Amino acid sequence: MQHIAELPDVRAGRNPTGPCIADDREQLENDAFLKRVRSAASVLRTHGIGIGDVIAVALPNRLELVVIMFAAWRLGAAVTPVNPGLTDAEARHQIEDSGAKVVITDGRGMGTLDVTAFADTPADRSPDAVSPASDALALIIYTSGTTGRPKGVMLDHANIAAMCRMIVDGIGLDETDHSLLVLPLFHVNGIVVSVLSPLLAGGRATIAGRFRAPAFFASVEAARPTYFSAVPAIYAMLVSLPDDVRPDTSSLRRAICGAAPMPAELIAQFENRFGVPVVEGYGLSEGTCASTLNPPPASGRGDPHLASLAGPRRPGTVGLPLPGQTVAVMDAEGHLLDAGSVGEVVVRGPNVMRGYLGLPDETARTVVDGWLHTGDVGRFDTDGHLVLVDRIKDMIIRGGENIYPKEIENVLHTHPAVLEAAVVGAPEPVLGEVPVAYVALLPGASATAEELVDHCRGSLARVKVPVSVVVTESLPKNPVGKIDKPRLRSFTVSS
C-alpha cells in the first residue's frame, strides 16, 4: 500500500463484509465504508474541492468525520479538524489560517456545508481517486495554543503512514484488534492511534461520543474493544468512580495513555482496580503523535499479544524510542548528551512534521538539522528509557534556583489522598517566582493544605517546597484533556 488514503479500497477488496467502523448511530462494513467515502468525495467535488485544497471539519466525534477525511484524501485535498467547542473567533482563526475552501459543520453558522449533505448521495457519481504523493499535505493539526495563538502543524501522507506503521508494530495491533475512540478527533492521537492504526492493521474502530466517566464502561461492555487510548485526566476520572463500579473489562488487552506523563501511582491504581495493563507513550503533534512507548507487563490472562510485547517496565518513565525514530537529549549548544544527563528531548525520523503552516521562522527554530526540538526536559536511564523532567517553559526560577514542577507534582502524587496535582510559578517581588500547588483529592479522601505542604517537606529541599497548596474539587483542562497550566498561572497572578 502506498499510503493510508487507499485504506478504504484495500479493505473492501480484501474483505467486503468485514466490520470496519462504527459510532453511536450506525456500523459500517468495509464495502459500505468505501461506498460512503466515494459518495462523500462526490459531494466535495461538486463544491470545488480538488488537489491541494484544504477542507475544515468542525464536527463532534462521529463516523462522518472519518468518512469525510478519507474522501478529501481521495481527491488529493488536506483536512484540518476543528474543535467544535471553539468560539467563533477561535474557529475563524484556524479556518482562515489554514485557507480552508469548505467548512463542514452540523448546523453551526460559520459552516459552508452541512454534514447532512453527505447523506444518501449515490456512490456511482464518485470521481476517480487521486493517488496523493507521499509528501502531499494530509492533515493540518492546530496546537492547543498554550504559548500563544494556535499554530498549524503540517503532516503529510508520509508522516501519517510512518506513524501508523510504528503504532501498529509498537503496540502489536492486528486484524483482531478493535479500538474504542474516546479522545477528540480534532487531535492527532485520536485520529492516528484509535482510527487509522487499527484500520491499517486490519482491525476496526468504534467512535464513542463525548466522554463521560459514569457511562464509559457501559460502552466498553457493549462494544467489547481490545483497547482504548486516553489522557491522564480520563484515567483519574475512571479511578474516581464509586467503589461499587466493577465492570467487565475482559475484552481489553491494553489501555494506552498519551498527551501528558501519567503518574506511576495513577497507573497502578487503574491497573489494580480494573485489571487492564496501561501502555504509556510520549509524543507530540509535531511528531505525528508518538515517539516512545513503555510496554505493559505480561498479562495474567495469558494474552499472546501482550506476552510478545512485555519487557522491562520502568514506572515513571515514558518508555523506549519507537523503532524508526531517534530520540535523544540535547544541551542548549546542540550537543547530544549521554544517559543520565538532563537536557531537551529531541526527535528525528519520518514522523517529524513538514513544519508550521505559514511560519517559516518558527519552523526553523523548532526543527533544526532534522531534529524536532520538543520543549520537554528529560534524561535517559541506563536501560534507555526516557524520563521526562518537565516542560522547559514550565520551569520555575526561584531566587536563581531552577525548579521543575513535575518533581513537586510527583511527590504530591505519593500522598494517598491526592488524585491530581499541578504546580506553577507565582510572581514574587524578591525571589522572582515561587512554586504554588493545586491539588484535587480522591473522592471521599481528605487532606489539608498544611498537611500536603508538610508531605512535600519530607521529600523536597526547602527551595522546592510549595509556598502554598490550593485544594480544589477539580483542575482545569484544555480541549485535549491536559491540565491547563496557563489558566492556573492566571489564578496565581490575579490572586
Side-chain angles (χ1 to χ4, degrees):
M1 183 189 306
Q2 187 173 358
H3 44 58
I4 303 295
E6 299 170 350
L7 259 177
D9 299 82
V10 172
R11 289 178 61 96
R14 288 177 179 169
N15 184 12
T17 61
C20 182
I21 193 164
D23 64 8
D24 296 336
R25 301 173 182 85
E26 59 182 326
Q27 302 180 30
L28 295 181
E29 297 176 344
N30 288 322
D31 190 56
F33 180 59
L34 174 59
K35 289 177 179 176
R36 290 283 289 274
V37 170
R38 287 173 172 168
S39 171
S42 175
V43 174
L44 291 175
R45 174 69 85 194
T46 62
H47 285 79
I49 299 300
I51 295 173
D53 289 328
V54 176
I55 68 167
V57 185
L59 294 173
N61 278 16
R62 54 191 290 179
L63 187 150
E64 287 89 347
L65 199 157
V66 178
V67 168
I68 292 166
M69 180 173 66
F70 275 104
W73 291 346
R74 193 174 186 85
L75 299 175
V79 177
T80 185
V82 181
N83 175 2
L86 294 180
T87 65
D88 285 355
E90 291 169 326
R92 191 172 295 109
H93 163 71
Q94 178 173 342
I95 292 165
E96 293 176 353
D97 187 68
S98 66
K101 193 170 182 179
V102 165
V103 183
I104 300 165
T105 69
D106 58 355
R108 187 166 173 171
M110 69 177 57
T112 57
L113 184 58
D114 194 272
V115 68
T116 56
F118 294 90
D120 302 325
T121 302
D124 56 9
R125 292 172 47 199
S126 174
D128 292 336
V130 172
S131 183
S134 60
D135 62 352
L137 192 59
L139 291 171
I140 307 174
I141 302 292
Y142 277 75
T143 62
S144 55
T146 56
T147 57
R149 296 207 81 175
K151 301 184 289 287
V153 175
M154 296 188 293
L155 302 176
D156 60 27
H157 283 279
N159 292 145
I160 302 296
M163 188 76 263
C164 287
R165 179 50 60 191
M166 292 172 186
I167 293 293
V168 169
D169 294 342
I171 300 175
L173 301 181
D174 64 22
E175 68 279 358
T176 68
D177 272 296
H178 177 189
S179 79
L180 179 65
L181 170 71
V182 297
L183 293 177
L185 275 171
F186 58 79
H187 190 258
V188 71
N189 187 314
I191 295 172
V192 170
V193 177
S194 295
V195 176
L196 298 183
S197 292
L199 294 186
L200 176 64
R204 58 188 174 124
T206 293
I207 300 169
R210 186 178 182 87
F211 176 81
R212 289 180 55 253
F216 173 74
F217 284 114
S219 297
V220 169
E221 292 175 345
R224 305 291 295 167
T226 60
Y227 77 95
F228 67 92
S229 179
V231 296
I234 286 179
Y235 289 98
M237 286 186 274
L238 295 176
V239 165
S240 299
L241 290 171
D243 290 340
D244 61 355
V245 175
R246 296 290 170 181
D248 177 5
T249 62
S250 59
S251 70
L252 290 169
R253 298 170 182 164
R254 61 187 83 77
I256 301 170
C257 183
M262 187 165 167
E265 292 78 13
L266 182 56
I267 292 176
Q269 286 175 319
F270 181 85
E271 291 182 337
N272 292 338
R273 178 169 176 181
F274 299 113
V276 181
V278 174
V279 178
E280 190 180 14
Y282 160 74
L284 57 166
S285 298
E286 290 86 344
T288 321
C289 185
S291 290
T292 67
L293 191 70
N294 211 341
S299 171
R301 299 172 181 154
D303 190 321
H305 298 269
L306 292 178
S308 66
L309 292 170
R313 195 159 191 231
R314 298 289 185 272
T317 81
V318 289
L320 302 168
L322 283 168
Q325 296 185 53
T326 303
V327 183
V329 172
M330 186 177 285
D331 66 17
E333 286 71 45
H335 303 121
L336 296 180
L337 302 175
D338 296 330
S341 297
V342 174
E344 183 180 12
V345 179
V346 292
V347 175
R348 186 167 61 186
N351 55 300
V352 173
M353 67 172 180
R354 283 174 45 175
Y356 294 116
L357 180 65
L359 299 171
D361 293 341
E362 184 77 13
T363 299
R365 286 191 292 269
T366 304
V367 183
V368 182
D369 296 329
W371 289 104
L372 170 64
H373 287 250
T374 66
D376 290 310
V377 180
R379 61 178 174 81
F380 282 96
D381 67 16
T382 54
D383 293 316
H385 291 71
L386 178 63
V387 179
L388 292 180
V389 176
D390 220 321
R391 291 287 295 168
I392 291 175
K393 64 181 178 60
D394 287 343
M395 186 174 70
I396 300 166
I397 303 177
R398 179 178 185 172
E401 294 278 353
N402 293 346
I403 300 171
Y404 291 107
K406 189 169 183 290
E407 183 180 3
I408 306 172
E409 292 161 5
N410 287 343
V411 170
L412 287 166
H413 273 287
T414 63
H415 191 285
V418 171
L419 176 64
E420 293 182 299
V423 175
V424 296
E428 207 282 334
V430 176
L431 299 174
E433 286 182 298
V434 291
V436 172
Y438 292 83
V439 171
L441 303 180
L442 285 162
S446 63
T448 65
E450 293 74 17
E451 180 184 342
L452 293 171
V453 170
D454 286 341
H455 180 75
C456 290
R457 288 195 183 104
S459 302
L460 296 169
R462 184 176 60 85
V463 71
K464 300 176 184 177
V465 174
V467 298
S468 65
V469 174
V470 179
V471 179
T472 181
E473 184 175 336
S474 63
L475 300 184
K477 309 295 192 304
N478 69 14
V480 179
K482 298 180 184 179
I483 293 174
D484 193 343
K485 285 196 171 183
R487 189 173 171 191
L488 290 177
R489 290 191 192 95
S490 71
F491 294 163
T492 66
V493 173
S494 61
S495 60

